[in-house]
Coordinates of all heavy atoms in Angstrom, one line a residue:
M1 N 105.8 -36.9 -56.2 CA 105.4 -37.3 -57.6 C 104.0 -37.0 -57.8 O 103.6 -37.1 -59.0 CB 105.8 -38.8 -57.8 CG 107.2 -39.0 -58.2 SD 107.5 -40.7 -58.6 CE 107.9 -41.4 -57.1
T2 N 103.2 -36.7 -56.9 CA 101.9 -36.2 -57.1 C 101.8 -35.0 -58.1 O 100.7 -34.7 -58.7 CB 101.0 -36.1 -55.9 OG1 101.6 -35.1 -55.1 CG2 100.9 -37.4 -55.1
G3 N 102.9 -34.2 -58.0 CA 102.9 -33.0 -58.7 C 103.4 -33.3 -60.2 O 103.6 -32.3 -61.0
G4 N 103.6 -34.5 -60.5 CA 104.1 -34.8 -61.8 C 105.5 -35.6 -61.8 O 106.0 -35.8 -60.7
P5 N 106.0 -36.0 -62.9 CA 107.2 -36.7 -62.9 C 108.4 -36.0 -62.3 O 108.4 -34.7 -62.3 CB 107.5 -36.9 -64.4 CG 106.1 -36.8 -65.1 CD 105.4 -35.9 -64.2
A6 N 109.3 -36.7 -61.7 CA 110.4 -36.1 -61.0 C 111.7 -36.9 -61.0 O 111.6 -38.1 -61.2 CB 110.1 -35.7 -59.6
T7 N 112.8 -36.4 -60.9 CA 114.1 -37.2 -60.9 C 114.4 -37.5 -59.4 O 113.8 -36.9 -58.5 CB 115.3 -36.3 -61.5 OG1 115.4 -35.1 -60.6 CG2 115.1 -35.9 -62.9
A8 N 115.3 -38.4 -59.2 CA 115.7 -38.8 -57.8 C 116.3 -37.5 -57.2 O 116.1 -37.3 -55.9 CB 116.7 -39.8 -57.9
R9 N 117.0 -36.8 -57.8 CA 117.6 -35.5 -57.2 C 116.4 -34.5 -56.7 O 116.5 -34.0 -55.6 CB 118.5 -34.7 -58.2 CG 119.1 -33.5 -57.6 CD 120.0 -32.8 -58.7 NE 121.0 -33.7 -59.2 CZ 122.2 -33.8 -58.8 NH1 122.7 -33.0 -57.8 NH2 123.1 -34.7 -59.2
E10 N 115.4 -34.3 -57.6 CA 114.3 -33.4 -57.2 C 113.5 -34.0 -56.0 O 113.1 -33.2 -55.1 CB 113.4 -33.3 -58.4 CG 114.0 -32.5 -59.5 CD 113.2 -32.6 -60.8 OE1 112.4 -33.6 -61.0 OE2 113.4 -31.8 -61.7
L11 N 113.4 -35.3 -56.0 CA 112.6 -36.0 -54.9 C 113.5 -35.8 -53.6 O 113.0 -35.7 -52.5 CB 112.3 -37.4 -55.2 CG 111.2 -37.5 -56.3 CD1 111.1 -39.0 -56.8 CD2 109.9 -36.9 -55.9
A12 N 114.8 -36.1 -53.7 CA 115.7 -36.1 -52.5 C 115.6 -34.7 -51.9 O 115.8 -34.6 -50.7 CB 117.1 -36.6 -52.9
A13 N 115.5 -33.7 -52.7 CA 115.5 -32.4 -52.1 C 114.3 -32.1 -51.3 O 114.3 -31.2 -50.4 CB 115.5 -31.3 -53.4
L14 N 113.3 -32.8 -51.5 CA 112.1 -32.7 -50.7 C 112.1 -33.6 -49.4 O 111.2 -33.5 -48.6 CB 110.8 -33.1 -51.5 CG 110.6 -32.3 -52.8 CD1 109.5 -33.0 -53.6 CD2 110.2 -30.9 -52.5
L15 N 113.0 -34.5 -49.3 CA 113.1 -35.5 -48.3 C 114.3 -35.2 -47.4 O 115.3 -34.7 -47.9 CB 113.1 -36.9 -48.8 CG 111.9 -37.2 -49.7 CD1 112.1 -38.6 -50.4 CD2 110.6 -37.3 -48.8
P16 N 114.3 -35.8 -46.2 CA 115.6 -35.7 -45.4 C 116.6 -36.8 -45.6 O 117.2 -37.3 -44.8 CB 115.0 -35.8 -43.9 CG 113.8 -36.7 -44.1 CD 113.2 -36.4 -45.5
I17 N 116.8 -37.1 -46.9 CA 117.7 -38.2 -47.3 C 118.5 -37.7 -48.5 O 118.1 -36.8 -49.3 CB 117.0 -39.5 -47.6 CG1 116.0 -39.3 -48.8 CG2 116.5 -40.1 -46.4 CD1 115.4 -40.7 -49.3
A18 N 119.7 -38.2 -48.8 CA 120.5 -37.9 -49.9 C 120.0 -38.5 -51.2 O 119.2 -39.5 -51.1 CB 122.0 -38.3 -49.6
R19 N 120.5 -38.1 -52.3 CA 120.0 -38.7 -53.6 C 120.3 -40.1 -53.7 O 119.4 -40.9 -54.2 CB 120.7 -37.9 -54.8 CG 120.0 -38.3 -56.1 CD 121.0 -38.2 -57.2 NE 122.2 -38.9 -57.1 CZ 122.4 -40.2 -57.2 NH1 121.5 -41.0 -57.5 NH2 123.7 -40.6 -57.1
P20 N 121.4 -40.7 -53.3 CA 121.5 -42.2 -53.4 C 120.4 -42.9 -52.6 O 120.0 -44.0 -53.0 CB 122.9 -42.4 -52.8 CG 123.6 -41.1 -52.9 CD 122.7 -40.0 -52.8
G21 N 120.1 -42.3 -51.4 CA 118.9 -43.1 -50.7 C 117.7 -42.9 -51.4 O 116.9 -43.9 -51.4
A22 N 117.4 -41.8 -52.0 CA 116.1 -41.7 -52.7 C 116.1 -42.6 -53.9 O 115.1 -43.2 -54.2 CB 116.0 -40.2 -53.2
S23 N 117.3 -42.8 -54.6 CA 117.4 -43.7 -55.7 C 117.1 -45.1 -55.3 O 116.4 -45.9 -56.0 CB 118.8 -43.6 -56.3 OG 119.0 -42.4 -56.9
R24 N 117.6 -45.5 -54.1 CA 117.3 -46.9 -53.7 C 115.9 -47.1 -53.4 O 115.3 -48.2 -53.7 CB 118.1 -47.2 -52.4 CG 119.7 -47.4 -52.7 CD 120.3 -48.0 -51.5 NE 120.4 -47.0 -50.4 CZ 121.4 -46.1 -50.3 NH1 122.4 -46.1 -51.1 NH2 121.5 -45.3 -49.2
Y25 N 115.2 -46.1 -52.7 CA 113.8 -46.2 -52.5 C 113.0 -46.3 -53.8 O 112.1 -47.1 -54.0 CB 113.2 -45.1 -51.7 CG 113.6 -45.1 -50.2 CD1 114.4 -44.3 -49.6 CD2 113.0 -46.1 -49.4 CE1 114.7 -44.4 -48.3 CE2 113.3 -46.2 -48.1 CZ 114.2 -45.3 -47.5 OH 114.4 -45.4 -46.1
L26 N 113.4 -45.5 -54.8 CA 112.7 -45.5 -56.0 C 113.0 -46.8 -56.8 O 112.0 -47.2 -57.5 CB 113.2 -44.3 -56.9 CG 112.8 -42.9 -56.5 CD1 113.6 -41.8 -57.2 CD2 111.3 -42.8 -56.8
R27 N 114.1 -47.4 -56.7 CA 114.3 -48.7 -57.3 C 113.3 -49.8 -56.6 O 112.8 -50.6 -57.4 CB 115.7 -49.2 -57.1 CG 116.0 -50.5 -57.8 CD 117.4 -51.1 -57.5 NE 117.6 -51.2 -56.1 CZ 118.8 -51.0 -55.5 NH1 119.9 -50.7 -56.2 NH2 118.9 -51.0 -54.2
V28 N 113.2 -49.8 -55.4 CA 112.2 -50.6 -54.7 C 110.8 -50.4 -55.2 O 110.1 -51.3 -55.5 CB 112.3 -50.5 -53.2 CG1 111.2 -51.3 -52.5 CG2 113.7 -51.0 -52.7
L29 N 110.4 -49.2 -55.3 CA 109.1 -48.8 -55.8 C 108.9 -49.2 -57.2 O 107.8 -49.7 -57.6 CB 108.8 -47.3 -55.6 CG 108.8 -46.8 -54.2 CD1 108.7 -45.3 -54.1 CD2 107.6 -47.4 -53.4
R30 N 109.9 -49.1 -58.0 CA 109.8 -49.5 -59.4 C 109.7 -51.0 -59.5 O 108.9 -51.5 -60.3 CB 111.1 -49.0 -60.2 CG 111.0 -49.2 -61.7 CD 112.2 -48.6 -62.4 NE 113.4 -49.4 -62.2 CZ 114.6 -49.0 -61.7 NH1 114.7 -47.8 -61.3 NH2 115.5 -49.9 -61.5
E31 N 110.5 -51.7 -58.7 CA 110.4 -53.2 -58.7 C 109.0 -53.6 -58.3 O 108.5 -54.7 -58.7 CB 111.5 -53.8 -57.9 CG 112.9 -53.7 -58.5 CD 114.0 -54.0 -57.5 OE1 113.7 -54.5 -56.3 OE2 115.2 -54.1 -58.0
A32 N 108.3 -52.9 -57.4 CA 107.1 -53.3 -56.9 C 106.0 -52.7 -57.9 O 104.8 -52.9 -57.7 CB 106.8 -52.6 -55.6
E33 N 106.4 -52.1 -59.0 CA 105.6 -51.6 -60.0 C 104.6 -50.5 -59.6 O 103.5 -50.3 -60.0 CB 104.7 -52.6 -60.7 CG 105.7 -53.7 -61.4 CD 104.9 -54.8 -62.2 OE1 103.7 -54.9 -62.1 OE2 105.7 -55.6 -62.8
L34 N 105.1 -49.7 -58.5 CA 104.3 -48.5 -58.1 C 104.7 -47.3 -58.8 O 104.0 -46.3 -58.7 CB 104.5 -48.4 -56.5 CG 104.0 -49.6 -55.7 CD1 104.3 -49.5 -54.2 CD2 102.5 -49.7 -56.0
V35 N 106.0 -47.2 -59.3 CA 106.5 -46.1 -60.0 C 107.1 -46.6 -61.3 O 107.4 -47.8 -61.4 CB 107.5 -45.2 -59.3 CG1 106.9 -44.6 -58.0 CG2 108.8 -46.0 -59.0
E36 N 107.1 -45.9 -62.3 CA 107.9 -46.1 -63.6 C 108.9 -45.1 -63.9 O 108.8 -44.0 -63.5 CB 106.8 -46.3 -64.7 CG 106.0 -45.2 -65.0 CD 104.9 -45.4 -66.0 OE1 104.7 -46.6 -66.4 OE2 104.2 -44.5 -66.4
A37 N 109.9 -45.6 -64.6 CA 111.0 -44.7 -64.9 C 111.3 -44.7 -66.4 O 111.1 -45.6 -67.0 CB 112.3 -45.1 -64.2
C38 N 111.5 -43.4 -66.9 CA 111.9 -43.3 -68.3 C 113.1 -42.5 -68.4 O 113.4 -41.7 -67.5 CB 110.8 -42.7 -69.1 SG 110.4 -41.0 -68.7
C39 N 114.1 -42.9 -69.2 CA 115.3 -42.2 -69.3 C 115.3 -41.1 -70.3 O 114.6 -41.1 -71.4 CB 116.4 -43.2 -69.8 SG 116.7 -44.5 -68.6
E40 N 115.7 -39.9 -69.8 CA 115.9 -38.7 -70.5 C 117.3 -38.2 -70.5 O 117.8 -37.7 -69.6 CB 115.0 -37.6 -70.1 CG 113.4 -37.9 -70.2 CD 112.6 -36.8 -69.7 OE1 113.2 -35.7 -69.2 OE2 111.4 -36.9 -69.7
A41 N 118.0 -38.5 -71.6 CA 119.5 -38.2 -71.7 C 120.2 -39.0 -70.5 O 120.1 -40.2 -70.5 CB 119.7 -36.8 -71.6
Q42 N 120.8 -38.3 -69.7 CA 121.6 -38.9 -68.6 C 120.8 -39.1 -67.3 O 121.3 -39.6 -66.3 CB 122.8 -38.0 -68.2 CG 123.8 -37.9 -69.3 CD 124.6 -39.2 -69.6 OE1 124.8 -40.0 -68.7 NE2 124.8 -39.6 -70.8
R43 N 119.5 -38.8 -67.2 CA 118.8 -38.9 -66.0 C 117.5 -39.8 -66.1 O 117.0 -39.9 -67.3 CB 118.4 -37.5 -65.4 CG 117.8 -36.6 -66.6 CD 117.6 -35.3 -66.1 NE 116.4 -34.8 -66.7 CZ 115.5 -33.9 -66.2 NH1 115.8 -33.3 -65.1 NH2 114.5 -33.5 -66.8
R44 N 117.1 -40.3 -65.1 CA 115.9 -41.1 -65.0 C 114.8 -40.2 -64.4 O 114.9 -39.6 -63.3 CB 116.1 -42.3 -64.1 CG 115.6 -43.6 -64.8 CD 116.0 -44.8 -63.9 NE 116.9 -45.6 -64.7 CZ 117.5 -46.6 -64.3 NH1 117.5 -46.9 -63.0 NH2 118.3 -47.3 -65.0
V45 N 113.7 -40.2 -65.1 CA 112.5 -39.4 -64.5 C 111.4 -40.5 -64.1 O 111.0 -41.3 -64.9 CB 112.0 -38.5 -65.7 CG1 110.8 -37.7 -65.2 CG2 113.0 -37.6 -66.1
Y46 N 111.0 -40.3 -62.9 CA 110.1 -41.2 -62.2 C 108.6 -40.6 -62.2 O 108.5 -39.4 -62.0 CB 110.5 -41.5 -60.8 CG 111.7 -42.3 -60.8 CD1 113.0 -41.5 -60.7 CD2 111.9 -43.7 -60.8 CE1 114.2 -42.2 -60.6 CE2 113.0 -44.4 -60.7 CZ 114.2 -43.6 -60.7 OH 115.4 -44.2 -60.6
S47 N 107.6 -41.5 -62.3 CA 106.2 -41.1 -62.2 C 105.5 -42.2 -61.6 O 105.8 -43.4 -61.7 CB 105.7 -40.7 -63.5 OG 105.7 -41.7 -64.5
L48 N 104.4 -41.9 -60.9 CA 103.5 -42.9 -60.3 C 102.8 -43.7 -61.3 O 102.4 -43.2 -62.4 CB 102.4 -42.2 -59.5 CG 103.0 -41.5 -58.2 CD1 101.8 -40.8 -57.4 CD2 103.6 -42.6 -57.2
C49 N 102.8 -45.0 -61.0 CA 101.9 -45.9 -61.8 C 100.4 -45.8 -61.2 O 100.3 -46.2 -59.9 CB 102.4 -47.4 -61.8 SG 104.0 -47.6 -62.6
H50 N 99.5 -45.4 -61.8 CA 98.2 -45.1 -61.2 C 97.4 -46.4 -61.0 O 96.5 -46.5 -60.1 CB 97.4 -44.1 -62.0 CG 98.1 -42.8 -62.0 ND1 98.0 -41.9 -60.9 CD2 98.8 -42.1 -62.9 CE1 98.7 -40.8 -61.2 NE2 99.2 -41.0 -62.4
E51 N 97.6 -47.4 -61.8 CA 96.8 -48.7 -61.7 C 96.8 -49.3 -60.3 O 95.7 -49.6 -59.7 CB 97.2 -49.6 -62.8 CG 96.4 -50.9 -62.7 CD 94.9 -50.7 -63.0 OE1 94.5 -49.7 -63.7 OE2 94.1 -51.5 -62.6
P52 N 97.9 -49.5 -59.7 CA 97.9 -50.2 -58.4 C 97.2 -49.3 -57.3 O 96.5 -49.9 -56.5 CB 99.5 -50.3 -58.0 CG 100.2 -50.1 -59.2 CD 99.4 -49.3 -60.2
F53 N 97.3 -48.1 -57.4 CA 96.6 -47.2 -56.4 C 95.1 -47.2 -56.7 O 94.4 -47.2 -55.7 CB 97.2 -45.7 -56.5 CG 98.6 -45.7 -56.0 CD1 99.7 -45.6 -57.0 CD2 99.0 -45.8 -54.7 CE1 101.0 -45.6 -56.6 CE2 100.3 -45.8 -54.3 CZ 101.3 -45.6 -55.3
A54 N 94.8 -47.3 -57.9 CA 93.3 -47.4 -58.3 C 92.7 -48.7 -57.7 O 91.6 -48.8 -57.2 CB 93.0 -47.3 -59.7
Q55 N 93.5 -49.8 -57.8 CA 93.0 -51.1 -57.3 C 92.9 -51.0 -55.8 O 91.8 -51.5 -55.2 CB 94.0 -52.2 -57.6 CG 94.0 -52.5 -59.1 CD 95.1 -53.5 -59.5 OE1 95.9 -53.9 -58.5 NE2 95.2 -53.9 -60.7
V56 N 93.7 -50.4 -55.0 CA 93.7 -50.2 -53.6 C 92.5 -49.4 -53.3 O 91.7 -49.7 -52.4 CB 95.0 -49.5 -53.0 CG1 94.7 -49.2 -51.5 CG2 96.1 -50.6 -53.1
E57 N 92.3 -48.3 -54.0 CA 91.1 -47.4 -53.7 C 89.8 -48.2 -53.9 O 88.8 -48.0 -53.2 CB 91.2 -46.2 -54.7 CG 90.1 -45.2 -54.4 CD 90.0 -44.7 -53.0 OE1 91.0 -44.5 -52.4 OE2 88.9 -44.4 -52.5
E58 N 89.7 -49.0 -55.0 CA 88.6 -49.8 -55.3 C 88.2 -50.8 -54.1 O 87.2 -50.9 -53.6 CB 88.7 -50.6 -56.6 CG 87.5 -51.5 -56.9 CD 87.8 -52.4 -58.1 OE1 88.7 -52.2 -58.9 OE2 87.1 -53.5 -58.2
R59 N 89.2 -51.5 -53.6 CA 89.0 -52.4 -52.5 C 88.6 -51.6 -51.3 O 87.8 -52.2 -50.5 CB 90.3 -53.2 -52.3 CG 90.5 -54.2 -53.4 CD 91.7 -55.0 -53.2 NE 91.9 -55.9 -54.4 CZ 92.8 -56.7 -54.5 NH1 93.8 -56.8 -53.6 NH2 93.0 -57.5 -55.6
L60 N 89.3 -50.5 -51.0 CA 88.9 -49.8 -49.8 C 87.5 -49.2 -49.9 O 86.8 -49.2 -48.9 CB 89.8 -48.5 -49.6 CG 91.3 -48.9 -49.1 CD1 92.2 -47.6 -49.1 CD2 91.1 -49.5 -47.7
G61 N 87.1 -49.0 -51.1 CA 85.7 -48.5 -51.3 C 84.6 -49.6 -51.0 O 83.6 -49.3 -50.3
R62 N 85.0 -50.8 -51.4 CA 84.1 -51.9 -51.1 C 84.1 -52.1 -49.5 O 83.0 -52.3 -49.0 CB 84.5 -53.2 -51.8 CG 84.2 -53.2 -53.2 CD 84.5 -54.5 -53.9 NE 85.9 -54.4 -54.2 CZ 86.6 -55.5 -54.7 NH1 86.1 -56.6 -54.9 NH2 87.9 -55.4 -54.9
Y63 N 85.2 -52.0 -48.9 CA 85.3 -52.1 -47.4 C 84.5 -51.1 -46.7 O 83.8 -51.3 -45.8 CB 86.8 -52.1 -47.0 CG 86.9 -52.1 -45.5 CD1 86.9 -53.2 -44.7 CD2 87.2 -50.9 -44.9 CE1 87.0 -53.2 -43.4 CE2 87.4 -50.8 -43.5 CZ 87.3 -52.0 -42.7 OH 87.5 -51.9 -41.4
R64 N 84.7 -49.8 -47.2 CA 84.0 -48.7 -46.6 C 82.4 -48.9 -46.8 O 81.8 -48.6 -45.8 CB 84.4 -47.4 -47.3 CG 85.8 -47.0 -46.8 CD 86.2 -45.7 -47.5 NE 87.6 -45.4 -47.3 CZ 88.4 -45.2 -48.3 NH1 88.1 -45.1 -49.5 NH2 89.7 -44.9 -47.9
A65 N 82.0 -49.4 -47.9 CA 80.6 -49.7 -48.1 C 80.0 -50.7 -47.2 O 79.0 -50.5 -46.6 CB 80.3 -50.0 -49.6
L66 N 80.8 -51.7 -47.0 CA 80.4 -52.7 -46.0 C 80.3 -52.2 -44.6 O 79.3 -52.4 -43.9 CB 81.3 -54.0 -46.1 CG 81.2 -54.9 -47.2 CD1 82.4 -55.9 -47.2 CD2 79.9 -55.7 -47.2
R67 N 81.2 -51.5 -44.3 CA 81.3 -50.9 -43.0 C 80.1 -49.9 -42.7 O 79.6 -49.9 -41.7 CB 82.6 -50.2 -42.8 CG 82.9 -49.7 -41.4 CD 84.3 -49.3 -41.2 NE 84.6 -48.8 -39.9 CZ 85.4 -47.9 -39.5 NH1 86.2 -47.4 -40.4 NH2 85.6 -47.6 -38.3
A68 N 79.9 -49.0 -43.7 CA 78.9 -48.1 -43.6 C 77.4 -48.7 -43.5 O 76.6 -48.3 -42.8 CB 78.9 -47.1 -44.8
A69 N 77.3 -49.9 -44.2 CA 76.1 -50.6 -44.1 C 75.9 -51.4 -42.9 O 74.8 -52.0 -42.6 CB 75.9 -51.6 -45.3
G70 N 76.9 -51.5 -42.1 CA 76.8 -52.2 -40.8 C 76.7 -53.7 -41.0 O 76.0 -54.5 -40.2
S71 N 77.3 -54.2 -42.2 CA 77.3 -55.6 -42.5 C 77.9 -56.5 -41.4 O 78.9 -56.2 -40.8 CB 78.0 -55.8 -43.9 OG 78.1 -57.2 -44.1
G72 N 77.3 -57.6 -41.2 CA 77.8 -58.6 -40.3 C 78.9 -59.4 -41.0 O 79.4 -60.4 -40.3
L73 N 79.3 -59.1 -42.1 CA 80.4 -59.8 -42.8 C 81.8 -59.3 -42.5 O 82.7 -59.8 -43.0 CB 80.2 -59.7 -44.4 CG 78.8 -60.2 -44.9 CD1 78.7 -60.0 -46.4 CD2 78.7 -61.7 -44.6
M74 N 81.9 -58.3 -41.6 CA 83.1 -57.8 -41.3 C 84.0 -58.7 -40.5 O 83.4 -59.3 -39.6 CB 83.0 -56.5 -40.6 CG 82.3 -55.4 -41.4 SD 83.1 -55.0 -42.9 CE 84.6 -54.4 -42.4
P75 N 85.2 -58.9 -40.7 CA 86.0 -59.8 -39.9 C 86.2 -59.3 -38.5 O 86.3 -58.1 -38.3 CB 87.4 -59.9 -40.6 CG 87.5 -58.6 -41.5 CD 86.0 -58.3 -41.8
R76 N 86.4 -60.2 -37.6 CA 86.6 -59.8 -36.2 C 88.0 -59.4 -36.1 O 88.9 -59.9 -36.6 CB 86.3 -61.0 -35.2 CG 84.9 -61.3 -35.2 CD 84.6 -62.5 -34.2 NE 85.0 -62.1 -32.9 CZ 85.1 -63.0 -31.9 NH1 84.7 -64.3 -32.1 NH2 85.4 -62.5 -30.7
T77 N 88.2 -58.4 -35.2 CA 89.5 -58.0 -34.9 C 90.0 -58.7 -33.6 O 89.4 -58.5 -32.6 CB 89.6 -56.5 -34.6 OG1 89.0 -55.8 -35.8 CG2 91.0 -56.0 -34.3
P78 N 91.0 -59.6 -33.7 CA 91.5 -60.3 -32.5 C 91.8 -59.4 -31.3 O 92.4 -58.4 -31.5 CB 92.7 -61.1 -33.0 CG 92.6 -61.0 -34.5 CD 91.8 -59.8 -34.9
G79 N 91.3 -59.8 -30.2 CA 91.6 -59.1 -29.0 C 90.7 -57.9 -28.6 O 90.7 -57.5 -27.6
I80 N 90.0 -57.5 -29.6 CA 89.2 -56.3 -29.4 C 87.7 -56.8 -29.2 O 87.0 -56.3 -28.3 CB 89.2 -55.3 -30.6 CG1 90.6 -54.8 -30.6 CG2 88.2 -54.2 -30.5 CD1 90.9 -53.9 -31.8
T81 N 87.2 -57.7 -30.0 CA 85.8 -58.1 -29.8 C 85.6 -59.3 -29.0 O 84.5 -59.7 -29.0 CB 85.2 -58.4 -31.3 OG1 86.1 -59.3 -31.9 CG2 85.2 -57.1 -32.1
R82 N 86.6 -59.9 -28.4 CA 86.5 -61.0 -27.6 C 85.8 -60.6 -26.3 O 86.0 -59.5 -25.7 CB 87.9 -61.6 -27.2 CG 88.5 -62.3 -28.3 CD 89.6 -63.1 -27.8 NE 90.4 -63.7 -28.9 CZ 91.5 -63.4 -29.4 NH1 92.2 -62.4 -28.8 NH2 92.0 -64.0 -30.4
T83 N 85.0 -61.6 -25.7 CA 84.4 -61.3 -24.4 C 85.4 -61.5 -23.3 O 86.5 -62.0 -23.5 CB 83.3 -62.4 -24.2 OG1 83.8 -63.7 -24.1 CG2 82.3 -62.2 -25.3
R84 N 85.1 -61.0 -22.1 CA 86.0 -61.2 -21.0 C 86.4 -62.6 -20.8 O 87.5 -63.0 -20.4 CB 85.4 -60.5 -19.7 CG 86.3 -60.5 -18.6 CD 85.7 -59.8 -17.4 NE 84.9 -58.8 -17.7 CZ 84.0 -58.2 -16.8 NH1 84.0 -58.6 -15.6 NH2 83.2 -57.2 -17.2
H85 N 85.4 -63.5 -20.9 CA 85.6 -64.9 -20.6 C 86.6 -65.4 -21.7 O 87.5 -66.2 -21.3 CB 84.3 -65.6 -20.8 CG 84.4 -67.1 -20.7 ND1 84.7 -67.7 -19.4 CD2 84.2 -68.2 -21.6 CE1 84.7 -69.1 -19.7 NE2 84.5 -69.3 -21.0
E86 N 86.5 -65.1 -23.0 CA 87.4 -65.6 -24.0 C 88.8 -65.1 -23.6 O 89.8 -65.9 -23.8 CB 87.0 -65.1 -25.4 CG 85.7 -65.8 -25.8 CD 85.3 -65.2 -27.1 OE1 85.3 -63.9 -27.3 OE2 84.8 -66.0 -28.0
R87 N 89.0 -63.9 -23.3 CA 90.3 -63.3 -23.0 C 91.0 -64.1 -21.8 O 92.2 -64.4 -21.7 CB 90.2 -61.8 -22.6 CG 90.0 -61.0 -23.9 CD 90.3 -59.5 -23.6 NE 89.3 -59.0 -22.6 CZ 88.2 -58.4 -22.9 NH1 87.8 -58.2 -24.1 NH2 87.5 -57.9 -21.9
K88 N 90.1 -64.3 -20.7 CA 90.6 -65.0 -19.5 C 91.1 -66.4 -19.8 O 92.2 -66.9 -19.5 CB 89.6 -65.0 -18.4 CG 90.0 -65.6 -17.1 CD 89.0 -65.5 -16.1 CE 89.5 -66.1 -14.8 NZ 88.5 -66.0 -13.7
R89 N 90.2 -67.1 -20.6 CA 90.6 -68.5 -21.1 C 91.8 -68.5 -21.9 O 92.7 -69.4 -21.7 CB 89.4 -69.1 -21.8 CG 89.6 -70.5 -22.2 CD 88.4 -71.1 -22.9 NE 88.0 -70.1 -23.9 CZ 87.0 -70.3 -24.8 NH1 86.4 -71.5 -24.7 NH2 86.7 -69.4 -25.6
R90 N 92.0 -67.5 -22.7 CA 93.2 -67.5 -23.6 C 94.4 -67.2 -22.8 O 95.5 -67.7 -23.1 CB 92.9 -66.4 -24.6 CG 93.9 -66.6 -25.9 CD 93.5 -65.6 -26.9 NE 94.3 -65.8 -28.0 CZ 94.0 -66.5 -29.2 NH1 92.8 -66.8 -29.3 NH2 94.9 -66.6 -30.1
S91 N 94.3 -66.4 -21.8 CA 95.5 -66.0 -21.0 C 95.9 -67.2 -20.1 O 97.1 -67.2 -19.6 CB 95.3 -64.8 -20.2 OG 94.3 -65.0 -19.2
N92 N 95.1 -68.1 -19.8 CA 95.4 -69.2 -18.9 C 96.1 -70.3 -19.7 O 96.6 -71.3 -19.0 CB 94.1 -69.8 -18.2 CG 93.6 -68.9 -17.2 OD1 94.3 -68.1 -16.6 ND2 92.3 -68.9 -16.9
R93 N 96.3 -70.3 -20.9 CA 96.9 -71.3 -21.7 C 98.4 -71.3 -21.5 O 99.1 -70.6 -21.2 CB 96.6 -71.1 -23.2 CG 95.2 -71.4 -23.5 CD 95.0 -71.3 -25.0 NE 93.6 -71.6 -25.3 CZ 93.1 -71.3 -26.5 NH1 93.8 -71.0 -27.5 NH2 91.8 -71.5 -26.7

């Protein structure tokens, strides 16, 4: 759909699934408001909703800026930043 609006049949031709499977995936994406559908005669044409993706990009941009600045505000990743003592104590529980 990055190439523009497409039908379920057109999208299924690009994927290793049949048209009914593509239609089910598109329904889920439509319910999640990631794609929108408009009816043209007997077929439904799907296109991406750009707003949700813009929101994700904005949040990722803020995360990348914090990471690039080396901010101490980054959350710890469990299991990776623990000291050997913390891991040993945790495994003895």
Side-chain angles (χ1 to χ4, degrees):
M1 276 187 269
T2 57
T7 64
R9 181 181 305 263
E10 293 166 341
L11 293 170
L14 301 172
L15 303 169
I17 58 175
R19 192 212 44 83
S23 293
R24 283 191 293 274
Y25 283 115
L26 288 165
R27 182 182 56 210
V28 170
L29 293 172
R30 192 176 70 238
E31 289 170 358
E33 298 180 357
L34 296 174
V35 298
E36 56 190 7
C38 64
C39 292
E40 292 182 0
Q42 295 289 325
R43 51 187 212 151
R44 226 177 242 170
V45 179
Y46 296 89
S47 58
L48 289 175
C49 295
H50 295 284
E51 182 61 28
F53 296 102
Q55 290 173 0
V56 169
E57 182 60 35
E58 177 187 341
R59 289 181 184 178
L60 285 174
R62 286 186 277 173
Y63 172 80
R64 289 180 188 126
L66 284 173
R67 188 171 178 204
S71 172
L73 301 175
M74 298 304 297
R76 291 180 63 186
T77 304
I80 294 176
T81 56
R82 288 194 183 107
T83 65
R84 187 179 323 166
H85 176 70
E86 288 173 319
R87 285 192 300 265
K88 185 176 179 183
R89 184 178 47 176
R90 196 172 184 106
S91 66
N92 290 334
R93 289 184 185 173

